Amino acid sequence: MSENCLFCRIVRGEIPATIVATTDDAIAFRDIDPKAPVHVLVVPREHIRSLNDATDPSLVGRLVALATDVARKEGVAESGYRVVFNTNEHGGQTVHHLHAHLLAGRPLNWPPG
Ligand code: 5GP
Ligand code: ZN
């Protein structure tokens, strides 16, 4: 837990978010500034700074599995989606609490900018 971390505060319910799914160790909620028609963030309840600090590969696997469950629930599993972990500065990470982006609902450019 990190006192002032934005996503820890969302996990604790101190900041409102549109939660779409929860598990024992993760929550999924809509991004406040969506970059695609479906843009959901999947975050562990535990404060982990980035993929570099994710020492439990099974937790990372559960985050990906939850992103996939949400893709199915949102009806985009067949049309397709992208799951991205932005990591540190060059990866474009702005919130330093591990999270996966689930992006879908339109053709996504590749490579990303
Ligand atoms: P990053 O840039 O770290 O990979 O992703 C952080 C994401 O968090 C961004 O897509 C941004 O729009 C989203 N975000 C920032 N502040 C909030 C907030 O208060 N609530 C929600 N739901 N998303 C946020
Ligand atoms: Zn945090």
Side-chain angles (χ1 to χ4, degrees):
M1 200 229 284
S2 182
E3 209 55 44
N4 295 317
C5 167
L6 177 62
F7 289 173
C8 282
R9 297 190 70 192
I10 288 176
V11 167
R12 292 198 296 267
E14 294 170 10
I15 293 176
T18 304
I19 294 172
V20 297
T22 62
T23 64
D24 285 350
D25 56 12
I27 71 168
F29 54 90
R30 294 198 193 282
D31 196 290
I32 205 169
D33 178 19
K35 316 302 186 297
V38 174
H39 189 172
V40 171
L41 302 172
V42 178
V43 318
R45 293 180 186 276
E46 180 188 353
H47 182 80
I48 297 167
R49 279 177 301 173
S50 81
L51 219 40
N52 289 338
D53 302 289
T55 51
D56 178 1
S58 66
L59 173 64
V60 178
R62 290 194 295 278
L63 298 178
V64 174
L66 181 55
T68 302
D69 286 346
V70 172
R72 287 201 193 91
K73 268 173 70 173
E74 296 282 316
V76 297
E78 291 310 315
S79 54
Y81 57 93
R82 187 171 293 159
V83 177
V84 183
F85 290 85
N86 295 336
T87 302
N88 282 351
E89 188 181 349
H90 286 189
Q93 185 176 8
T94 60
V95 177
H96 296 280
H97 178 130
L98 178 65
H99 54 282
H101 293 258
L102 168 68
L103 295 152
R106 65 167 171 79
L108 300 163
N109 298 331
W110 188 261

